[in-house]
Amino acid sequence: MRAPQAASSRFTSAPYVLVAPLALVLVVFFGIPLVLVVVVSFFDLDKFDIIPTFVLTNYSELLSSPLTYTLYAKTIKYALIVWAITLVIGFTVSYFLVFHVRSILWQMGLFLLCTVPFWTSNVIRMISWIPLLGRHGLLNQSLIALGLADHPLEFLLFSDFSVVIAYVHLFSLFMIVPIFNSMARIERAVIEAAVDGGASRFRVITDIVIPLSRTGIALGSIFVIALVMGDFFVVKVMSGGQSASVVAAMSNEIAILQYPPAAANAVCLLTIVTLMVAVIMRVVDVRRELSG
Amino acid sequence: MRTVAGSNCTIRKEVPMSKRATGGRKITRRQLLKGAVATAAAVAGSRVSGVPTVWAQNIKDIKLVQAGGSYSAIIDIGRQATKDLGFQVEMQTGAHDALLNRFVTQPNSVDIADMEYFFLYQLVPRGVLHSIDLKKYKWWDKVVPIFTKGEYPDGRKVSRQGTLPYKVQYVDGPDSNRFAKGPTQWATAIPTVYNADTLGIRPDLVKRPIEHWHELLNPEFKGRSAILDVPSIGIMDAAMAIESRGDIKYGDKGNMTKEEIDKTIKILIGAKKSGQFRAFWTTFDESVNLMAAGEVVIQSMWSPAVTAVRARGIPCYYVPLNEGYRAWASCIAPMRHLTGLKLDAAYEYLNWYQSGWQGGFIAKQGYYSSVPETARKFMTEDEWGFWYDGKDAKSDIKDPYGTLMEKAGQKRDGGAFWERMGKVACWNTLMDENRYMVRKWNEFVSA
């Protein structure tokens, strides 16, 4: 910002002015609603009314119910599986784009190709798996026609398998983009020096590429984990409604106007996701890496 | 949660002009306005004849927002009402849970609540609805007695299990928040569309007659049955099946005790773990696709979904079962914030609603009207015979948009109106132990 000379005496206020619009938006649309959710999570309710008081029953009921733990175990299981798969995909795709595609034009072209699936909506990308994986779907018909299966494989659809496939398909890009970005910033000279010094390709990856792209890996992991933890729609559709998630349980509660328990559930989920993000940030200091 | 109406799958076509009969104009205006007939004469020839000038000019600016499920808050009905009444009626749709939340938390954003009857348990005590003065509503004596008296025309009592509309039909007085024991002058809402739901099957894949609800849990259909994943409704379908198998005798399937819920969920979890269910569906389209793709051969379904499967040339049968049907009913009511001219307009609209056009329209989608005799005027003899009398269709039966629903010679599954509505075993509802039930249902889904 090129501030006029006269304003330079008040330079200390400039950063505050610059950050004000974002801060305002965050406070109004994120801060206040979040505080309300926390407040409501301590409210009581009877058959028709939410009673503004301070009770811990919502939390004690939530934490004493085995259902909560089953749901979290299930949701975290999905998050970890999807995280591992998208990490491998994100890393290999970025590695190929950055180190094997020489021309910048091809690099950008192929990178854009990765985003093609995102030109249609989430819902369509997810639903298109159903006719492919179904009992009488394309995949099963092909397998039977090729003689590779004698009866349709039922685990392909409405199962954990199909849920994970949809997640990976939906969220891989969120891993590719940050990893690609940080890999592209790796100084080629470092790698050349390593190769000249006799390092194998494997050592170059483990000792140079992985450490130097850890910012991207951390950011991608945050995206993927937060997206999976907060989802209920993909689970619902791809498991044929046969698998639940933390958010699905919350949505069932809201459907019958049970706001306080749903709010308590939301606060717990938020805490756990925040903890997971904190662990990632602890391992990789994203801010230092980005500014450095 | 009928989130998607059958018609959404089809290309919308304009309703033929001949069908847009003059139903709206035949309506006698409210008694309050009858004194103004002389003024009305002055505007004779104007489109909304019979309405005084002042009224006619003021009402132009009125807009009523009706929010309801996509199977009842249909845009065509809003358009026709706007045309016939001279003020604007706007339709907004949402899923069950979104609607209930909206009526409670933002009552002022809606003028006409369009909902299932069990919503009234939540809405009337909260005082968000305006009680309807039946003296200003002209069709009450023509409404099917299931609603007005909780009886069939022959005097038999309708099943009280679940939310029989009659149980929440009346309040003590104007803007009272308490349900009345018997009929009064004050109604909570006006009944609109309703139907009797049962199991849909693929006769070509089931290959034998199905007569009982317990077939839903029969291991013969392991991996090929499905139920509805709306906890309050899904558990009732499950209860119909479990009771029919003889495992539990429920006191009231529509208001289970904690023990009954526990036992029911235990049986469901057992069935789920043994792989009985292929899927749990939530939207209309999901149920159609599951059936049409052969993923599922027996499942709880809605009537237009069965028709939608058949319209694809795939056999599907909406089986009348010995234990009877699970029925549901929708209703509309003005919100309490309406006053003055807007409230008058709301009464006008209620009277228009049951004057026949709407009833004829939804009948062609397989739903029933609460005032069948006015709906009949907006249907051909053949359509009436097919949908209400259970007779063979003499010619092809089409939906309101002209899409073929049934070929000539077909008969409605389950037969005539009273054959179907006369065998209601229970009604869609919200239980007292709702919170507990939803927790247990979540356990079932995540098991």
Side-chain angles (χ1 to χ4, degrees), chain A residues 103-133:
Chain A
S103 129
I104 292 282
L105 195 68
W106 269 104
Q107 216 175 58
M108 292 327 286
L110 288 173
F111 182 74
L112 282 179
L113 202 63
C114 294
T115 68
V116 167
F118 286 74
W119 296 359
T120 60
S121 87
N122 251 3
V123 180
I124 290 177
R125 269 180 293 146
M126 178 177 57
I127 302 230
S128 16
W129 284 103
I130 295 177
L132 190 70
L133 299 174

Side-chain angles (χ1 to χ4, degrees), chain A residues 11 15 22 31 34-35 41 43 48 51 55 79 85 91-92 96 109 113 180 188 190 206 224 228 238 241 272-273:
Chain A
F11 73 98
L22 179 64
L34 189 63
V35 169
S41 73
F43 283 3
F48 299 113
I51 306 155
V55 292
I85 299 175
F91 189 84
T92 38
F96 173 77
L113 202 63
F180 174 83
R188 296 301 166 102
V190 180
T206 53
V224 169
V228 175
M238 294 308 291
I272 287 177
V273 174

Side-chain angles (χ1 to χ4, degrees), chain B residues 59-80:
Chain B
I59 58 167
K60 276 201 322 259
D61 306 325
I62 288 185
K63 183 171 97 171
L64 293 179
V65 173
Q66 174 171 341
S70 58
Y71 55 98
S72 64
I74 304 169
I75 196 160
D76 305 77
I77 295 173
R79 254 185 233 148
Q80 187 67 28

Side-chain angles (χ1 to χ4, degrees), chain B residues 67-370:
Chain B
S70 58
Y71 55 98
S72 64
I74 304 169
I75 196 160
D76 305 77
I77 295 173
R79 254 185 233 148
Q80 187 67 28
T82 304
K83 201 168 146 227
D84 289 344
L85 292 169
F87 53 84
Q88 211 192 331
V89 177
E90 184 186 307
M91 295 293 186
Q92 298 179 356
T93 58
H96 264 177
D97 43 357
L99 289 170
L100 181 58
N101 275 278
R102 184 171 170 191
F103 296 150
V104 170
T105 58
Q106 303 146 56
N108 295 341
S109 71
V110 184
D111 300 317
I112 305 282
D114 177 351
M115 64 218 147
E116 276 202 48
Y117 261 94
F118 61 78
F119 280 35
L120 294 173
Y121 276 127
Q122 299 278 336
L123 298 181
V124 171
R126 284 188 168 94
V128 292
L129 301 177
H130 175 88
S131 3
I132 297 158
D133 183 354
L134 291 174
K135 284 194 174 146
K136 295 194 205 166
Y137 178 72
K138 56 184 286 192
W139 306 106
W140 199 245
D141 53 336
K142 302 207 164 55
V143 169
V144 173
I146 293 174
F147 300 95
T148 53
K149 298 188 194 121
E151 294 171 4
Y152 293 117
D154 57 14
R156 278 186 306 133
K157 292 254 186 271
V158 185
S159 167
R160 256 68 180 161
Q161 298 207 13
T163 308
L164 165 69
Y166 174 73
K167 290 203 284 193
V168 290
Q169 185 61 69
Y170 301 97
V171 280
D172 293 336
D175 289 344
S176 162
N177 295 346
R178 285 179 43 218
F179 295 113
K181 290 247 173 342
T184 67
Q185 186 197 328
W186 304 94
T188 49
I190 299 295
T192 55
V193 301
Y194 53 101
N195 208 345
D197 286 354
T198 180
L199 298 178
I201 63 162
R202 279 281 298 269
D204 55 328
L205 301 175
V206 168
K207 294 187 183 116
R208 65 177 178 84
I210 296 290
E211 288 173 347
H212 298 280
W213 276 87
H214 65 70
E215 303 281 9
L216 191 63
L217 298 171
N218 189 337
E220 184 186 336
F221 307 116
K222 192 172 149 187
R224 295 188 296 163
S225 82
I227 55 173
L228 171 60
D229 185 18
V230 173
S232 55
I233 304 173
I235 198 163
M236 294 189 79
D237 282 344
M240 291 292 287
I242 290 167
E243 194 171 59
S244 138
R245 201 167 69 175
D247 296 327
I248 304 174
K249 178 88 188 101
Y250 293 93
D252 179 353
K253 287 185 283 296
N255 205 5
M256 299 184 193
T257 61
K258 280 192 177 177
E259 298 82 78
E260 284 172 338
I261 295 172
D262 283 342
K263 280 193 219 158
T264 307
I265 296 291
K266 201 170 158 219
I267 293 172
L268 283 178
I269 290 178
K272 188 187 174 196
K273 288 209 163 137
S274 73
Q276 180 68 16
F277 304 111
R278 179 61 172 155
F280 304 144
W281 58 268
T282 31
T283 68
F284 180 93
D285 287 342
E286 278 178 282
S287 74
V288 173
N289 290 335
L290 284 171
M291 206 66 163
E295 298 283 348
V296 164
V297 299
I298 181 166
Q299 66 173 351
S300 44
M301 256 176 131
W302 299 326
S303 168
V306 173
T307 319
V309 174
R310 277 211 285 254
R312 298 191 190 178
I314 296 162
C316 188
Y317 180 49
Y318 209 36
V319 228
L321 299 168
N322 290 354
E323 294 85 7
Y325 293 86
R326 175 183 49 74
W328 58 272
S330 272
C331 55
I332 54 175
M335 301 297 283
R336 191 168 288 183
H337 69 85
L338 297 187
T339 50
L341 210 51
K342 214 165 172 184
L343 185 58
D344 291 343
Y347 273 105
E348 286 282 302
Y349 177 60
L350 295 183
N351 280 322
W352 174 86
Y353 207 86
Q354 299 296 52
S355 64
W357 195 92
Q358 178 268 353
F361 189 92
I362 51 114
K364 287 169 227 162
Q365 298 188 317
Y367 298 132
Y368 294 128
S369 162
S370 60

Side-chain angles (χ1 to χ4, degrees), chain B residues 4-40:
Chain B
V4 186
S7 55
N8 287 12
C9 319
T10 62
I11 300 161
R12 286 192 177 250
K13 288 184 195 138
E14 285 295 297
V15 180
M17 284 309 283
S18 59
K19 292 263 168 64
R20 294 195 165 163
T22 50
R25 286 179 224 174
K26 283 181 198 147
I27 301 167
T28 344
R29 299 290 149 178
R30 295 170 303 110
Q31 274 128 340
L32 196 133
L33 291 165
K34 272 187 180 160
V37 171
T39 337

